């Protein structure tokens, strides 16, 4: 006997049956969600319609079946007991005359041999009929009115001519008889009763009514389907990945583990008096993983989760957002245990009053939901409200903040976390990545960038590698970072402005050489340390449509969170280096507005030093705080004088540094104009060659 097990038994169909049951449960759950968010009138109407639709369908089917059986019996009937006779025939040999007077008057005053009533059904209670009376060798044609037809039918029961009545369906006449009736139609066209003339109107009205009903039902269907799509719970099994897939953010994951532990052991926590609703606030910059972390929490707890944007609650109508919240709560109560995630909810945290009425309505409704006065079943609903701001960066409503006993402040990843995140995304495509990549520059240039930005950079590098038909390397990653951070660039726009290209090159080298002079002094001309420590990564003359600039410098952000006065002064000198170099080469009248952003940053730095930190003065006062408290005005005269004096001093020092480097600057400008862009290593190599010569 063979040891193989047959796959055609009952177990073979088990996965299919389980999938079908899961699909049916899913559909039933969605229908229940849709039902609970409807108003009372809809809740009563839907079951009624659910009963009427199959009832009317069954009734219609039974009528159609009976009519089919009756039609078969009628077709099997013969006329006058004669076999093979399937149509009615009129006596074509007799002349046809139009009757005078009424049909009843004629029947009562003349001997009648036969009365033929030719009819054609129009609607349920309306028909077309022509009466042909054979009398004295002739046929007399009448077209009775509705009232006359009724009297005619009533008297036919007892009248002597009642036994001579013959009812003939017009559809069963012979061809010659049909031609006769058609001629009579033309003759009686003006004598037809109004009910017959209006028959087509009734038919059209009925068809229109059915069409409008179907159109209304279709409209409601699509409206409700769209409404349902925006309010949809995601089951835990539909969430891909887990919290272990998140690289870095150990502090955030530890806070999340606390929420998970509090929920799973809520009975034990209740013994210590911790029985408040689970209201959690996520705050922090966009792209730091708030939504993804909420989905992973739902999967870890085995709870369905509903994602909804709080921005969509602001409908512009009074009670519009409140009604949507009511529908969300109704769906959550049906499940009893679930997570509701409201994203982009910074507007809900703003102080109430003085805003649009419907904004306050929505905030008030959310406050009432989160206030903790709820039943035990409802306390199992976890509310997670996320925003891109926190209480330190914006004024928030205190009542709303008190509703959240747990607050998670998300942050941007640090250097080691950025390296780990980039390595994680590269590992997902390891067979397409060059070995032993140097990620130092990429990690440095992406300081202050979110995990979502880092993922975008790695994905863009993959796209570029596919298009070029090569592996992902350090250069590919840096090009992708430039594309994501700076935007798409082109050389044609800059090349059309030769004069501007030279000014931009001179300006950018001014920044670079001031920074280089400082680094050479600090390191004692240690070129390896200079290559590692300098912030500049690339100088480019390619135009950037994103900033409308004819060139850009790709540089690393500073790692020092605390800055000394010397650090601030060096940063000011570097910023002033661009304008100082323009003045040295093109004269004071040749300086351009390209230094506008540099001068703005210099002004802020000096105001921070002199006006907020008390540098360059004996007192240590922060005058900027007065302005934020709305009790102060513009910069005072003393602070302004200090800022102007320090700016003049630092600009003079910057100009003196660059004056001694004018030959080197001219050489580097020529090289940059020819190459369009130079990396830090290329620039340092060119400088060393120039000095060696």
């Amino acid at each position: 006997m063979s040891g193989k097990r047959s796959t055609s038994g009952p177990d073979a169909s088990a996965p299919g049956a389980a999938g079908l049951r899961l699909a049916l449960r899913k559909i039933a759950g969605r229908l229940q969600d849709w039902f609970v968010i409807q108003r009372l009138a809809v809740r009563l109407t839907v079951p009624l319609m659910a009963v009427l639709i199959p009832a009317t369908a069954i009734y219609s089917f039974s009528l159609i079946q009976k009519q089919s059986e009756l039609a078969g019996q009628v077709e099997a009937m013969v006329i006058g007991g004669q076999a093979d006779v399937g149509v009615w025939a009129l006596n074509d040999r007799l002349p046809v005359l139009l009757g005078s007077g009424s049909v009843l008057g004629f029947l009562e005053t003349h001997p009648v041999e036969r009365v033929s009533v030719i009819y054609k059904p129009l609607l349920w209670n309306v028909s077309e009929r022509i009466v042909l009376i054979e009398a004295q060798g002739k046929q007399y044609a009448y077209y009775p009115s509705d009232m006359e037809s009724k009297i005619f039918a009533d008297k036919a029961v007892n009248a002597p001519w009642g036994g001579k009545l013959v009812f003939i369906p017009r559809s069963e006449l012979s061809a010659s008889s049909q031609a006769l009736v058609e001629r009579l139609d033309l003759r009686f066209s003006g004598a037809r009763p109004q009910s017959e003339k209006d028959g087509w109107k009734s038919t059209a009205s009925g068809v229109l009514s059915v069409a409008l009903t179907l159109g209304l039902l279709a409209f409601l269907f699509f409206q409700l389907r769209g409404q349902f799509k925006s309010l949809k719970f995601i089951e835990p099994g539909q969430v891909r990945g887990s919290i272990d897939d998140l690289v870095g953010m150990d502090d955030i994951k530890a806070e999340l583990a606390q929420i998970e532990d509090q929920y799973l052991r809520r009975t034990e926590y209740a013994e210590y008096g911790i029985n408040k609703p689970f209201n959690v606030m996520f705050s922090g910059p966009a792209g730091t993983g708030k939504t993804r972390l909420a989905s992973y929490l739902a999967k870890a707890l085995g709870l369905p989760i509903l994602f909804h944007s709080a921005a969509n609650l602001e409908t512009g109508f009074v009670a519009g957002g409140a009604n949507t919240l009511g529908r969300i709560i109704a769906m959550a109560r049906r499940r009893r245990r679930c997570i509701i995630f409201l994203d982009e909810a910074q507007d809900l945290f703003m102080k109430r009053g003085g805003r649009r009425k419907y904004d306050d309505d929505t905030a008030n409704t959310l406050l009432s939901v989160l206030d903790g006065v709820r039943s035990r079943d409802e306390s199992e609903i976890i509310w997670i409200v996320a925003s891109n701001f926190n209480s330190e960066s914006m004024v928030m409503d205190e009542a709303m903040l008190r509703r959240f006993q747990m607050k998670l402040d998300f942050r941007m990843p640090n250097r080691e976390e950025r390296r780990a995140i980039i390595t994680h995304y590269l590992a997902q495509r390891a067979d397409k990545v060059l070995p032993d990549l140097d990620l130092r520059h990429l990690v440095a240039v992406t300081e202050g960038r979110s995990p979502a930005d880092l993922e975008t950079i790695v994905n863009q590098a993959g796209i570029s590698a596919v298009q070029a038909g090569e592996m992902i390397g350090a250069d590919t990653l840096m090009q992708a970072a430039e594309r994501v951070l700076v935007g798409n660039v082109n050389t044609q726009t800059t090349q059309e402005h030769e004069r501007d290209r030279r000014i931009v090159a001179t300006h950018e080298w001014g920044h670079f050489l001031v920074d280089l002079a400082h680094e050479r002094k600090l390191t004692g001309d240690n070129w390896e340390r200079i290559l590692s420590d300098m912030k500049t990564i690339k100088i480019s003359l390619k135009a950037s449509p994103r900033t409308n600039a004819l060139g850009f410098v790709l540089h690393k952000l500073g790692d020092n969170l605390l800055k000394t006065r010397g650090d601030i002064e060096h940063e000011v000198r570097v910023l002033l280096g661009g304008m100082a170099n323009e003045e040295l080469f093109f004269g004071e009248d040749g300086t351009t507005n390209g230094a506008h952003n540099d001068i703005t940053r210099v002004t802020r730095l000096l105001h921070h030093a002199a006006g907020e930190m008390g540098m360059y003065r004996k007192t240590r006062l922060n005058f900027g705080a007065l302005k934020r408290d709305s009790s102060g005005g513009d910069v005072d005269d003393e602070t302004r004088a200090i800022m102007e004096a320090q700016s003049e001093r630092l600009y003079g020092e910057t100009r003196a540094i660059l004056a001694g480097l004018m030959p080197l600057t001219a050489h580097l400008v020529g090289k940059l104009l020819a190459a369009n862009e130079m990396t830090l290593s290329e620039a340092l190599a060119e400088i060393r060659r120039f000095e060696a010569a």
Side-chain angles (χ1 to χ4, degrees):
M1 294 180 62
S2 174
K4 294 183 179 180
R5 181 178 297 177
S6 174
T7 60
S8 60
D11 294 340
S13 60
L20 179 60
R21 286 195 300 271
L22 180 61
L24 292 176
R25 281 202 306 267
K26 190 174 180 180
I27 294 173
R30 291 184 177 180
L31 288 175
Q32 290 177 354
D33 283 339
W34 177 86
F35 187 76
V36 297
I37 66 176
Q38 303 306 315
R39 297 181 179 179
L40 180 61
V42 177
R43 296 186 186 184
L44 296 177
T45 303
V46 169
L48 179 62
M49 295 296 294
V51 173
L52 287 178
I53 289 175
T56 54
I58 294 172
Y59 179 71
S60 300
F61 177 77
S62 63
L63 286 181
I64 292 173
Q65 192 174 22
K66 289 180 180 179
Q67 289 176 355
S68 300
E69 294 175 357
L70 184 60
Q73 295 173 3
V74 170
E75 290 177 358
M77 295 172 67
V78 297
I79 299 175
Q82 300 179 13
D84 300 327
V85 178
V87 295
W88 298 88
L90 300 175
N91 193 346
D92 298 336
R93 294 172 295 175
L94 298 179
V96 178
L97 303 176
L98 297 178
S100 60
S102 66
V103 64
L104 292 174
F106 185 91
L107 289 172
E108 292 176 355
T109 56
H110 294 78
V112 176
E113 299 176 5
R114 179 180 177 182
V115 181
S116 301
V117 180
I118 305 169
Y119 67 94
K120 175 183 178 183
L122 297 178
L123 291 174
W124 298 279
N125 59 351
V126 179
S127 64
E128 177 186 356
R129 59 269 175 195
I130 296 175
V131 179
L132 287 175
I133 304 173
E134 293 185 20
Q136 300 174 351
K138 298 178 181 179
Q139 293 189 91
Y140 295 87
Y142 287 90
Y143 197 103
S145 64
D146 292 341
M147 183 177 294
E148 192 175 8
S149 297
K150 186 177 184 308
I151 298 173
F152 173 82
D154 292 339
K155 288 198 172 186
V157 178
N158 299 318
W161 44 266
K164 301 178 181 180
L165 275 173
V166 178
F167 291 91
I168 306 175
R170 184 167 176 171
S171 58
E172 297 187 10
L173 289 172
S174 63
S176 59
S177 298
Q178 287 279 8
L180 172 61
V181 174
E182 288 175 1
R183 291 195 296 272
L184 292 176
D185 279 340
L186 294 176
R187 180 63 184 82
F188 291 128
S189 60
R192 286 188 171 90
Q194 188 65 33
S195 59
E196 179 188 331
K197 296 179 180 179
D198 292 342
W200 69 273
K201 297 180 182 179
S202 301
T203 304
S205 177
V207 172
L208 181 61
S209 177
V210 172
L212 290 176
T213 303
L214 293 177
L216 178 61
L217 292 175
F219 173 77
L220 292 175
F221 169 76
F222 287 112
Q223 288 291 313
L224 293 174
R225 187 177 68 170
Q227 179 189 49
F228 175 73
K229 282 185 176 180
S230 64
L231 300 176
K232 179 181 177 182
F233 273 92
I234 297 176
E235 299 300 325
Q238 297 177 267
V239 178
R240 293 185 178 181
S242 67
I243 194 172
D244 297 331
D245 296 333
L246 292 178
V247 180
M249 297 194 301
D250 293 335
D251 50 344
I252 302 296
K253 289 190 286 187
E255 292 285 343
L256 205 67
Q258 180 180 344
I259 299 174
E260 181 179 350
D261 183 71
Q262 183 177 345
Y263 185 81
L264 295 177
R265 297 197 300 151
R266 52 191 177 278
T267 304
E268 300 177 33
Y269 278 90
E271 295 176 358
Y272 287 82
I274 304 173
N275 51 15
K276 290 184 178 180
F278 291 85
N279 302 332
V280 185
M281 183 175 74
F282 287 177
S283 63
T288 49
K290 296 186 289 294
T291 304
R292 184 177 296 182
L293 207 61
S295 64
Y296 291 161
L297 176 63
K299 184 175 183 179
L301 297 178
L303 299 178
I305 182 170
L306 182 144
F307 293 95
H308 194 74
S309 173
N312 292 336
L313 296 176
E314 311 308 325
T315 61
F317 299 98
V318 175
N323 289 337
T324 303
L325 278 176
R327 290 192 291 269
I328 292 174
I329 295 167
M331 294 173 62
R333 284 174 177 170
R334 190 184 70 80
R335 285 172 169 76
R336 295 179 56 186
R337 301 177 64 240
C338 62
I339 296 177
I340 299 175
F341 181 82
L342 291 181
D343 200 7
E344 304 293 339
Q346 45 268 19
D347 285 345
L348 294 176
F349 288 98
M350 295 176 64
K351 281 188 174 295
R352 289 164 292 162
R355 298 191 296 161
R356 297 167 296 190
K357 178 65 169 59
Y358 49 84
D359 291 337
D360 286 345
D361 286 342
T362 305
N364 290 334
T365 302
L366 184 60
L367 281 172
S368 65
V369 172
L370 302 177
D371 61 3
V373 185
R374 298 186 288 176
S375 67
R376 179 176 299 176
D377 291 340
E378 291 179 37
S379 66
E380 297 185 7
I381 299 173
I382 298 178
W383 283 83
I384 301 179
V385 182
S387 70
N388 293 337
F389 303 100
N390 54 41
S391 56
E392 297 297 326
S393 60
M394 64 179 290
V395 180
M396 292 187 173
D397 189 276
E398 292 296 332
M400 186 70 75
L401 287 177
R402 285 196 297 269
R403 297 300 193 273
F404 296 91
Q405 74 275 19
M406 299 199 67
K407 301 180 180 66
L408 271 68
D409 294 320
F410 286 68
R411 56 173 175 79
M412 293 299 184
N414 56 36
R415 178 185 291 270
E416 293 303 320
E417 288 172 340
R418 292 197 304 276
R419 181 185 296 276
I421 291 171
I422 295 172
T423 303
H424 170 74
Y425 288 127
L426 289 175
Q428 296 176 355
R429 45 184 71 81
D431 55 337
K432 299 298 181 182
V433 179
L434 293 176
D436 302 325
L437 287 182
D438 185 2
L439 301 177
R440 288 179 300 171
H441 285 316
L442 181 61
V443 171
V445 79
T446 53
E447 183 176 352
R449 299 292 173 172
S450 68
D453 292 332
L454 301 179
E455 182 180 8
T456 302
I457 290 173
V458 176
N459 289 338
Q460 181 62 45
I463 293 172
S464 301
V466 171
Q467 294 173 346
E470 59 185 19
M471 303 281 282
I472 299 176
D475 292 340
T476 312
L477 288 168
M478 287 303 299
Q479 292 171 3
E482 178 183 326
R483 177 68 181 272
V484 173
L485 303 180
V486 180
N488 57 311
V489 296
N490 68 89
T491 59
Q492 187 63 34
T493 302
T494 310
Q495 289 176 350
E496 294 174 355
H497 303 80
E498 182 62 29
R499 168 182 167 275
D500 293 341
R501 293 179 72 228
R502 185 170 295 275
I503 295 175
V504 171
T506 304
H507 182 101
E508 299 302 341
W509 283 122
H511 294 310
F512 178 84
L513 291 175
V514 172
D515 193 22
L516 176 64
H518 179 72
E519 292 293 334
R520 294 183 70 171
K521 183 178 179 180
L522 289 178
T523 62
D525 281 347
N526 186 330
W527 293 98
E528 291 184 2
R529 282 189 56 190
I530 292 173
L531 181 62
S532 174
D533 295 345
M534 279 198 69
K535 298 178 182 179
T536 302
I537 294 178
K538 176 189 288 187
I539 300 175
S540 176
L541 293 183
K542 295 181 179 180
S544 174
R546 181 181 297 178
T547 59
N548 200 27
L550 296 177
F552 66 91
V553 176
L554 188 63
H555 57 80
K556 300 177 283 187
L557 298 177
D559 292 331
N560 297 330
L561 299 178
L562 299 177
K563 293 184 179 181
T564 65
R565 190 173 79 172
D567 294 334
I568 295 176
E569 289 186 350
H570 171 63
E571 191 170 347
V572 170
R573 291 190 193 96
V574 173
L575 290 170
L576 294 175
M579 175 171 280
N581 231 17
E582 290 182 17
E583 182 179 341
L584 287 172
F585 278 87
F586 308 109
E588 188 173 352
D589 293 339
T591 57
T592 67
N593 60 354
H596 175 269
N597 184 54
D598 300 333
I599 299 301
T600 301
R601 293 173 61 188
V602 166
T603 305
R604 291 173 178 166
L605 282 171
L606 291 178
H607 181 264
H608 173 70
E612 297 178 349
M613 298 305 301
M615 295 180 181
Y616 310 110
R617 62 187 353 156
K618 295 180 180 180
T619 59
R620 294 295 184 262
L621 297 175
N622 182 3
F623 292 98
L626 300 178
K627 188 173 183 180
R628 283 196 293 270
D629 293 339
S630 301
S631 58
D634 297 332
V635 179
D636 62 280
D637 293 339
E638 182 183 359
T639 302
R640 183 188 299 273
I642 293 174
M643 291 173 59
E644 291 177 352
Q646 297 305 318
S647 174
E648 184 176 356
R649 175 179 67 84
L650 294 172
Y651 185 77
E653 294 174 0
T654 303
R655 197 174 186 279
I657 295 172
L658 293 174
L661 299 174
M662 289 184 67
L664 175 60
T665 302
H667 176 75
L668 293 174
V669 167
K671 292 294 184 180
L672 183 58
L673 289 174
N676 283 320
E677 62 181 20
M678 294 179 68
T679 63
L680 175 61
S681 59
E682 293 171 344
L684 294 180
E686 193 61 40
I687 291 171
R688 297 183 69 179
R689 283 194 295 267
F690 178 82
E691 292 181 349

